[in-house]
Amino acid sequence: MTKDISTTEQRPYHHGDLHRAIVEAALDVLSESQSTEFSLRELARRAGVSHNAPYKHFADKRELLAAVSAVGFELLAKRMADATKELDSPRERLAAIARAYVCGGVNNPALYRLMFGGYLGGQDNGRPAIERTAAYSMKAVVVEAICDGALGRLIPNTAANTRMIDGAILIFWSQMHGLTLLLVDSLVGPSGKIEELSEGVLQGMLDGLSNCIPEIPVGVWVGPPHAE
């Protein structure tokens, strides 16, 4: 696991924050095994608590994984923000966001698939509230760069422009998500060329969006859907 995902230095608990301990244990196991096929009992053992202790904070494994996914979105949003904090140009910021996104997914595919796959979808197609909140915080980082002029013009973040902004995000996300999975599945490579690949895909996409930003159709959402 990379240091920006979870570190032992960031764990000043001794079961005073069991919720955090279990989530971080799950992050560790997910990164090491690249699989969600682990038990709460295993996480309890890792955290050094009784096997029943996790159930005091999580009703079931899906609820735990929702918390893990939420942390994944928080970490990705932080990685994106850190990558852009020294950059003034909105276009450069969006490029840095793209690189951070792709690198995050390639460095921990299991966490990426948990965050963006269908595992946590409910029967009503909704996603857990804790995950949706964190995901929309990540989306806000992308929105800011787009509204600030990354596509060659300012787009005020107003209700009137929502469909245009979401249209731009849909194009951006589709390209970066597709590239991430192609790299993860070794259909594009090598992995050492991640930055160059994401840069090339992004610049081609931005050139197209500079000429035309398609509005999403009425009733379409971009991001984790809410339960009906």
Side-chain angles (χ1 to χ4, degrees):
M1 176 174 293
T2 57
K3 286 293 184 181
D4 58 347
I5 294 293
S6 174
T7 66
T8 54
E9 293 85 7
Q10 293 173 330
R11 298 176 182 175
Y13 62 81
H14 189 63
H15 316 319
D17 188 352
L18 181 57
H19 183 282
R20 176 180 171 185
I22 296 298
V23 169
E24 291 192 352
L27 281 165
D28 283 344
V29 174
L30 189 63
S31 179
E32 293 167 10
S33 67
Q34 287 298 299
S35 171
T36 56
E37 298 301 315
F38 54 79
S39 66
L40 268 66
R41 181 185 290 267
E42 179 181 359
L43 301 183
R45 178 183 59 77
R46 285 215 174 204
V49 297
S50 71
H51 66 269
N52 288 323
Y55 293 98
K56 297 177 181 178
H57 295 273
F58 304 101
D60 52 30
K61 186 175 177 180
R62 181 175 183 270
E63 187 173 302
L64 164 66
L65 289 177
V68 172
S69 178
V71 171
F73 280 111
E74 291 167 3
L75 292 168
L76 183 54
K78 182 179 185 305
R79 189 181 298 115
M80 289 176 169
D82 288 347
T84 61
K85 63 184 178 183
E86 302 296 332
L87 302 175
D88 294 325
S89 164
R91 185 163 174 139
E92 290 180 0
R93 281 161 44 203
L94 193 60
I97 286 169
R99 289 192 296 270
Y101 180 100
V102 175
C103 287
V106 172
N107 287 340
N108 195 340
L111 178 58
Y112 183 84
R113 292 187 193 279
L114 175 64
M115 293 160 60
F116 294 101
Y119 187 92
L120 293 173
Q123 293 182 348
D124 54 7
N125 292 322
R127 305 279 293 205
I130 185 175
E131 184 195 44
R132 291 200 310 269
T133 299
Y136 280 110
S137 295
M138 184 208 71
K139 178 182 175 181
V141 179
V142 182
V143 169
E144 182 179 11
I146 289 173
C147 292
D148 284 351
L151 306 183
R153 57 186 166 114
L154 295 174
I155 305 175
N157 191 3
T158 63
N161 289 329
T162 296
R163 288 171 57 204
M164 180 187 296
I165 293 168
D166 276 351
I169 289 173
L170 178 60
I171 300 298
F172 172 85
W173 189 15
S174 297
Q175 295 280 351
M176 294 304 110
H177 180 66
L179 178 58
T180 300
L181 291 181
L182 287 170
L183 286 164
V184 165
D185 293 332
S186 299
L187 297 173
V188 172
S191 58
K193 297 290 185 180
I194 290 174
E195 291 201 4
E196 294 95 324
L197 285 165
S198 60
E199 184 73 14
V201 170
L202 179 75
Q203 295 306 325
M205 176 193 68
L206 290 180
D207 289 343
L209 284 174
S210 295
N211 295 318
C212 176
I213 304 175
E215 292 188 356
I216 61 170
V218 175
V220 171
W221 68 78
V222 177
H226 294 269
E228 297 295 336

